[in-house]
Amino acid sequence: MEANRNIPAKNHLLKKVLSYIALICVLVLAGFVYYNYYFVFGTGVKFGELNYIVRKGIIFKTNEGRLIQAGYKSGASNSIQSNEFRFCVTDERVMKQLESSSGRVVQLHYNEYIGILPWRGMSNYVVDSIISSAPSVNTPPLP
């Protein structure tokens, strides 16, 4: 008879332990998701000529852009290519400003994330503001 009384106590203890383990797993998973996708890993400023800004995507329409920076980098031996900064834009106001600045020299402030989210864009770099914009030295004035 004594053994039957301990069974409910053991079941209660097992449920309590499993509840704590499940809670810890959920908290670890939430911390992982936050750190990889929402934690701002770095911020900075990039300066260069805005090559293009486009809105594209099949399911999630995202704003993607490319900035050509001064200087060159070597991707492989005996090759030279320009420095490119690929980024995405989530703010529609910034997107409209960049659309009117194509071909201009711009200074962009960005946030860097560790992981990418499909609705945010296909880059770890998210531009959140335009610091300055000026006509490009290489671009002739429009007639």
Side-chain angles (χ1 to χ4, degrees):
M1 208 62 162
E2 193 77 26
N4 287 343
R5 286 188 209 151
N6 285 339
I7 290 175
K10 287 182 182 179
N11 284 342
H12 180 69
L13 180 63
L14 180 64
K15 286 181 183 179
K16 194 173 187 180
V17 168
L18 288 177
S19 297
Y20 282 127
I21 290 173
L23 178 65
I24 289 170
C25 289
V26 167
L27 289 175
V28 167
L29 180 64
F32 175 79
V33 168
Y34 173 78
Y35 179 74
N36 275 330
Y37 301 109
Y38 295 100
F39 174 72
V40 177
F41 180 68
T43 61
V45 175
K46 294 280 187 176
F47 180 80
E49 186 174 338
L50 183 62
N51 189 355
Y52 67 80
I53 185 83
V54 295
R55 184 169 178 83
K56 63 182 179 178
I58 296 172
I59 296 174
F60 299 108
K61 298 292 185 187
T62 60
N63 305 314
E64 310 286 333
R66 183 168 69 177
L67 190 72
I68 305 295
Q69 297 176 284
Y72 297 99
K73 69 178 179 178
S74 177
S77 63
N78 297 331
S79 71
I80 296 177
Q81 63 187 34
S82 62
N83 285 322
E84 295 179 354
F85 174 61
R86 294 182 183 266
F87 61 90
C88 56
V89 180
T90 56
D91 188 356
E92 288 298 320
R93 180 185 56 82
V94 174
M95 175 63 180
K96 295 292 182 198
Q97 289 176 331
L98 286 173
E99 282 178 336
S100 64
S101 298
S102 186
R104 294 174 64 93
V105 175
V106 293
Q107 190 173 8
L108 304 175
H109 183 269
Y110 67 91
N111 292 323
E112 180 181 1
Y113 297 92
I114 295 171
I116 61 172
L117 292 170
W119 54 86
R120 187 167 58 200
M122 297 307 296
S123 173
N124 295 24
Y125 303 100
V126 178
V127 170
D128 60 354
S129 64
I130 300 172
I131 297 173
S132 67
S133 175
S136 175
V137 176
N138 300 329
T139 306
L142 295 173

